[in-house]
Amino acid sequence: MKVAFAFAVAIACCAVRGSPIEKTGHYIRVEGVNAVCQSANLHHGGTMDVDKLKALCDANEACLGFHSNGMLKKDTSIGCQSNDLNEDAALYLKRSESAEGTQLPVVPLPTSATMGTTAVTVVSDFVFATKTTSEAVRQFMATVSAEYWSLIITHRSDNNKTTTGLTGMNIIVDSTDMSLGMTTDESYQLSIPSSGAVTLTAATVFGARHGLETFSQLVHFDAESATYVIANTPIEVEDKPRFPHRGILLDTARHYHSLPVVKRFIRSLGHAKLNVFHWHIVDNQAFPLQLHTLPNLVKGAFSPQEIYTPEDVADIVAYAKLHGVRVIPEFDTPGHANSWCAGYPEICPSPTCTIPLNPATNRTFDVIGKLISECKGLFTDDYFHLGGDEVYTTCWSKSDSIRKWMAQKNFSIDDTYKYFIAVTHAMARRLGRKSIHWEEVFNHFGGSLDRDTIFQAWLSHETAAKIVAKGYQCILSNQDAWYLDHLKITWQQFYTNDPYMNITDPKQQQLMMGGEACMWSETVDDSDLFNTVWPRAAGAAERLWSPASVVSTDAFKPRLEGFRCLLNRRGIGAAAVDNKMPRSAPLKPGSCFYQ
């Protein structure tokens, strides 16, 4: 079965933002020139023609760039690229042909890639064809290919059809297994020639999807000829993720996020090759999930309109899988559960002192058991997050019945906390789910919990090393680098935060599953979600996907700028890269690429 798409193109070359090799040379254009750069004159070129200035600069080894008013420069310091540049002219910085200078203009950066120097058009009747023995695989890839084609073709054109260039893509999927989980093979190989057919080979449909994402980021529209072009072919890509768990947490309890926005959020994860939607679906403020077996829990929602039905959840999970994203639900117990009391007050210590949930009544665990059981059918992933953080036990101490129950069991407050975690963990295990808990559970109980317990480190990066040293699996989400609600954290901090920091033992490194950026929604709703998440989260996405050796923020920045504009073209409202604070307005009128 083939999926064909038509559009009008003609042969042409184009300049690719973020690519080190542009239309006439290896230069990066930066808007404006400040006083520091103006004092670094090498010589006057005697011309204002950009192409002549490039030739003059190429002929002089001392020239590392030039100002387009004719002044050649040798100062390429970071000061020449800051936000306080004036708008009088442009600085063209000359790129070397170093490894950093030849990075593929893709986020996240692939494991390995080689490029040529030839620009090639994509023919009008470009055809996707999937080689597989499975009709389900074929249909999946047909749907994904159609989606990516709609993202690639960004402009209408009335040009005549083009028949020379890249004619189509042959997609080879080795496995018919379409399950998506922690061990899914997401690798792919992409071969883009200077003419003929592209070849995409992957072990699974999810690896093939990542390959299509890479391909889509390489295709650019050239306005002069109204063509779609890939620069620097032939291109060969070998790619696979560094970590299996790469995600973002989204909190839908502090503010409700509508279904279209949740889907768009999931789609945005796929564009960055993230594969986990950690759905922090309920918290103290709201319980927006409707359940058939526990119909009163949804009384804790903000309003009857701000809920997710079981059918909504099934739709979101299916949509996420189509985008290569797993959905891991979180029900944070015994703390962060005040909203549960609206529907089932008997599971809370008292009407006036409601959390943590009451451990002294079997009704509490009956409710949790029914919740996990029903959610097992809604959320298909093997993992289930049970929270366990910020358990402030004052209400336990104030309750006569809970104090009496603890005395009968000879439990301290900490014993009671541990008992609650152990019981809920065992419930999830009996139902075939692996449970994740926040860092505080490890900090309280160390190595005394079951070895299949997974911990998510958020208070400090140092805890991650302690967790794996004790033989437990870990997910990193340290708040000083990967908390998106912390608006002073820069994209550079997101980019340089590494899960293996302070973990050098290979066996312990194997216990590090990956990481998540966290979008807590106290000050975020549908109106400002995407420009708070993006583009900063792309720094974490590259850290979790790309090789450990890919660490240069300078090399990442032009690719990040291009990715930010790509997201905007795809309807994901990413903020300007150079904003002093996330989600603030752009500083001035101008191109998306220079904000």
Side-chain angles (χ1 to χ4, degrees), residues 93-157:
L93 297 181
K94 188 176 179 181
R95 281 285 195 182
S96 70
E97 295 302 325
S98 64
E100 282 191 356
T102 56
Q103 288 184 347
L104 207 66
V106 171
V107 173
L109 194 69
T111 303
S112 67
T114 60
M115 293 184 289
T117 58
T118 302
V120 61
T121 56
V122 183
V123 303
S124 303
D125 296 322
F126 192 89
V127 175
F128 293 92
T130 300
K131 181 180 178 180
T132 177
T133 60
S134 166
E135 184 60 27
V137 168
R138 200 183 320 277
Q139 290 295 332
F140 185 99
M141 293 311 305
T143 301
V144 173
S145 299
E147 177 192 355
Y148 271 107
W149 199 249
S150 69
L151 296 174
I152 290 170
I153 305 306
T154 54
H155 299 279
R156 295 181 180 273
S157 172

Side-chain angles (χ1 to χ4, degrees), residues 253-391:
R254 274 56 178 263
H255 282 98
Y256 175 82
H257 293 287
S258 64
L259 288 166
V261 165
V262 171
K263 285 187 172 182
R264 199 184 337 152
F265 175 79
I266 289 169
R267 180 164 62 84
S268 76
L269 301 187
H271 296 326
K273 297 187 175 73
L274 294 169
N275 68 348
V276 173
F277 168 32
H278 175 167
W279 193 355
H280 188 86
I281 195 166
V282 306
D283 210 291
N284 282 329
Q285 292 80 359
F287 198 112
L289 178 63
Q290 184 185 65
L291 294 171
H292 294 308
T293 56
L294 297 164
N296 290 341
L297 279 176
V298 79
K299 290 181 178 180
F302 288 127
S303 74
Q305 287 72 43
E306 296 168 292
I307 69 167
Y308 307 101
T309 68
E311 293 75 18
D312 292 335
V313 172
D315 184 42
I316 287 170
V317 170
Y319 184 86
K321 184 177 180 180
L322 186 64
H323 289 79
V325 175
R326 301 158 50 208
V327 182
I328 297 179
E330 179 182 355
F331 297 91
D332 198 344
T333 60
H336 290 274
N338 188 60
S339 60
W340 301 46
C341 306
Y344 296 95
E346 67 272 20
I347 70 174
C348 301
S350 76
T352 58
C353 200
T354 53
I355 52 174
L357 295 176
N358 188 348
T361 173
N362 289 334
R363 179 59 173 153
T364 299
F365 299 108
D366 175 59
V367 168
I368 295 173
K370 287 181 178 178
L371 181 146
I372 296 174
S373 181
E374 182 167 347
C375 286
K376 177 186 176 182
L378 296 175
F379 298 95
T380 57
D381 199 79
D382 291 337
Y383 292 80
F384 201 97
H385 205 302
L386 290 170
D389 63 313
E390 297 179 325
V391 179

Side-chain angles (χ1 to χ4, degrees), residues 17 81 491 552-562 577-578:
R17 172 61 181 169
Q81 302 179 54
W491 66 261
S552 170
T553 54
D554 289 341
F556 181 55
K557 186 179 181 184
R559 290 187 292 106
L560 180 63
E561 290 168 337
V577 170
D578 285 332

